[in-house]
Coordinates of all heavy atoms in Angstrom, one line a residue:
V143 N -23.2 -0.4 38.0 CA -24.7 -0.5 37.8 C -25.3 -1.5 38.8 O -26.3 -1.3 39.4 CB -25.0 -0.8 36.3 CG1 -26.5 -1.2 36.2 CG2 -24.7 0.3 35.4
F144 N -24.6 -2.7 38.8 CA -25.1 -3.7 39.7 C -25.2 -3.2 41.2 O -26.3 -3.4 41.8 CB -24.3 -5.0 39.7 CG -24.5 -5.9 40.8 CD1 -25.6 -6.7 40.8 CD2 -23.7 -5.9 41.9 CE1 -25.9 -7.5 42.0 CE2 -23.9 -6.7 43.0 CZ -25.1 -7.5 43.0
A145 N -24.2 -2.7 41.7 CA -24.1 -2.2 43.1 C -25.2 -1.2 43.3 O -25.8 -1.2 44.4 CB -22.8 -1.7 43.4
T146 N -25.4 -0.3 42.4 CA -26.4 0.8 42.5 C -27.8 0.2 42.6 O -28.6 0.5 43.5 CB -26.4 1.7 41.3 OG1 -25.1 2.3 41.3 CG2 -27.4 2.8 41.5
L147 N -28.2 -0.7 41.7 CA -29.5 -1.3 41.7 C -29.7 -2.2 43.0 O -30.8 -2.2 43.5 CB -29.7 -2.1 40.5 CG -29.7 -1.3 39.2 CD1 -29.9 -2.2 38.0 CD2 -30.8 -0.2 39.2
A148 N -28.7 -2.9 43.4 CA -28.8 -3.8 44.5 C -29.0 -2.9 45.8 O -29.9 -3.2 46.6 CB -27.6 -4.6 44.7
A149 N -28.3 -1.9 45.9 CA -28.4 -1.0 47.1 C -29.7 -0.3 47.1 O -30.4 -0.2 48.2 CB -27.3 0.1 47.1
H150 N -30.2 0.2 46.0 CA -31.5 0.8 45.9 C -32.6 -0.2 46.3 O -33.5 0.2 47.0 CB -31.7 1.3 44.5 CG -33.1 1.8 44.2 ND1 -33.6 3.0 44.8 CD2 -34.1 1.3 43.5 CE1 -34.9 3.1 44.4 NE2 -35.2 2.1 43.6
T151 N -32.5 -1.4 45.8 CA -33.6 -2.4 46.1 C -33.6 -2.7 47.6 O -34.7 -2.8 48.2 CB -33.3 -3.7 45.3 OG1 -33.2 -3.4 43.9 CG2 -34.3 -4.7 45.6
C152 N -32.5 -2.8 48.2 CA -32.4 -3.1 49.7 C -32.9 -1.9 50.5 O -33.6 -2.1 51.5 CB -31.0 -3.5 50.1 SG -30.5 -5.1 49.5
L153 N -32.6 -0.7 50.0 CA -33.0 0.5 50.7 C -34.5 0.6 50.7 O -35.2 0.9 51.7 CB -32.4 1.7 50.1 CG -32.8 3.1 50.7 CD1 -32.2 3.2 52.1 CD2 -32.3 4.2 49.9
I154 N -35.2 0.5 49.5 CA -36.6 0.8 49.4 C -37.4 -0.4 50.0 O -38.6 -0.3 50.2 CB -37.0 1.0 48.0 CG1 -36.8 -0.2 47.1 CG2 -36.3 2.2 47.4 CD1 -37.3 -0.1 45.7
S155 N -36.7 -1.5 50.3 CA -37.4 -2.7 50.9 C -37.3 -2.6 52.4 O -37.9 -3.4 53.1 CB -36.7 -4.0 50.5 OG -36.8 -4.1 49.1
S156 N -36.6 -1.6 53.0 CA -36.4 -1.5 54.4 C -37.7 -0.9 55.0 O -38.3 0.0 54.5 CB -35.3 -0.5 54.7 OG -35.3 -0.1 56.1
P157 N -38.2 -1.5 56.1 CA -39.4 -1.0 56.8 C -39.3 0.5 57.2 O -40.2 1.2 57.2 CB -39.5 -1.9 58.1 CG -38.8 -3.2 57.7 CD -37.6 -2.7 56.8
Q158 N -38.1 0.9 57.5 CA -37.9 2.3 57.9 C -38.1 3.2 56.8 O -38.5 4.4 56.9 CB -36.4 2.5 58.5 CG -36.2 1.9 59.8 CD -35.8 0.4 59.7 OE1 -36.0 -0.2 58.7 NE2 -35.3 -0.2 60.8
V159 N -37.8 2.8 55.5 CA -38.0 3.6 54.4 C -39.5 3.5 53.9 O -40.0 4.5 53.3 CB -37.0 3.2 53.3 CG1 -37.3 3.9 51.9 CG2 -35.6 3.5 53.7
K160 N -40.1 2.4 54.0 CA -41.5 2.2 53.6 C -42.4 3.2 54.2 O -43.4 3.6 53.6 CB -41.9 0.8 53.9 CG -41.3 -0.2 52.9 CD -41.8 -1.6 53.2 CE -41.3 -2.6 52.3 NZ -41.8 -4.0 52.5
V161 N -42.1 3.7 55.5 CA -43.0 4.6 56.2 C -42.5 6.1 55.8 O -43.1 7.0 56.3 CB -42.9 4.4 57.7 CG1 -43.5 3.1 58.0 CG2 -41.5 4.6 58.2
R162 N -41.5 6.2 55.0 CA -41.1 7.5 54.5 C -41.1 7.5 53.0 O -40.0 7.3 52.4 CB -39.7 7.8 55.1 CG -39.8 8.1 56.6 CD -38.4 8.0 57.2 NE -38.6 8.4 58.6 CZ -39.1 7.6 59.6 NH1 -39.5 6.4 59.3 NH2 -39.2 8.1 60.8
P163 N -42.2 7.7 52.4 CA -42.3 7.5 50.9 C -41.5 8.4 50.1 O -41.2 8.1 48.9 CB -43.8 7.8 50.7 CG -44.3 8.6 51.8 CD -43.5 8.1 53.0
Y164 N -41.0 9.5 50.6 CA -40.2 10.5 49.9 C -38.8 9.9 49.6 O -38.1 10.4 48.7 CB -40.1 11.8 50.6 CG -39.6 11.7 52.0 CD1 -38.3 11.7 52.3 CD2 -40.6 11.7 53.1 CE1 -37.9 11.6 53.7 CE2 -40.2 11.6 54.4 CZ -38.8 11.5 54.7 OH -38.4 11.4 56.0
I165 N -38.3 9.0 50.4 CA -37.0 8.4 50.2 C -36.9 7.6 48.9 O -35.9 7.6 48.2 CB -36.5 7.6 51.4 CG1 -36.4 8.6 52.6 CG2 -35.2 6.9 51.2 CD1 -36.0 7.9 53.9
K166 N -38.0 6.8 48.6 CA -38.0 5.9 47.5 C -37.8 6.6 46.2 O -36.9 6.2 45.4 CB -39.3 5.1 47.5 CG -39.4 4.1 46.4 CD -40.6 3.3 46.5 CE -40.7 2.2 45.4 NZ -41.9 1.4 45.5
P167 N -38.5 7.7 45.9 CA -38.3 8.4 44.6 C -36.9 9.1 44.5 O -36.3 9.1 43.4 CB -39.4 9.4 44.5 CG -39.9 9.6 45.9 CD -39.7 8.3 46.5
L168 N -36.5 9.6 45.6 CA -35.2 10.3 45.7 C -34.1 9.2 45.3 O -33.1 9.5 44.5 CB -34.9 10.9 47.0 CG -35.7 12.2 47.4 CD1 -35.4 12.6 48.8 CD2 -35.4 13.3 46.4
S169 N -34.2 8.1 45.9 CA -33.2 7.0 45.7 C -33.3 6.5 44.2 O -32.3 6.3 43.6 CB -33.4 5.9 46.6 OG -32.5 4.8 46.4
A170 N -34.5 6.4 43.7 CA -34.7 6.0 42.4 C -34.1 6.9 41.3 O -33.5 6.5 40.4 CB -36.2 5.8 42.1
I171 N -34.3 8.2 41.6 CA -33.7 9.3 40.7 C -32.2 9.2 40.7 O -31.5 9.2 39.7 CB -34.2 10.7 41.1 CG1 -35.7 10.8 40.9 CG2 -33.4 11.7 40.4 CD1 -36.3 12.1 41.4

Side-chain angles (χ1 to χ4, degrees):
V143 170
F144 163 76
T146 299
L147 297 179
H150 170 70
T151 301
C152 289
L153 178 67
I154 64 175
S155 300
S156 169
Q158 289 84 345
V159 172
K160 287 182 178 179
V161 296
R162 288 164 176 77
Y164 52 84
I165 295 181
K166 184 176 180 178
L168 289 176
S169 178
I171 292 172

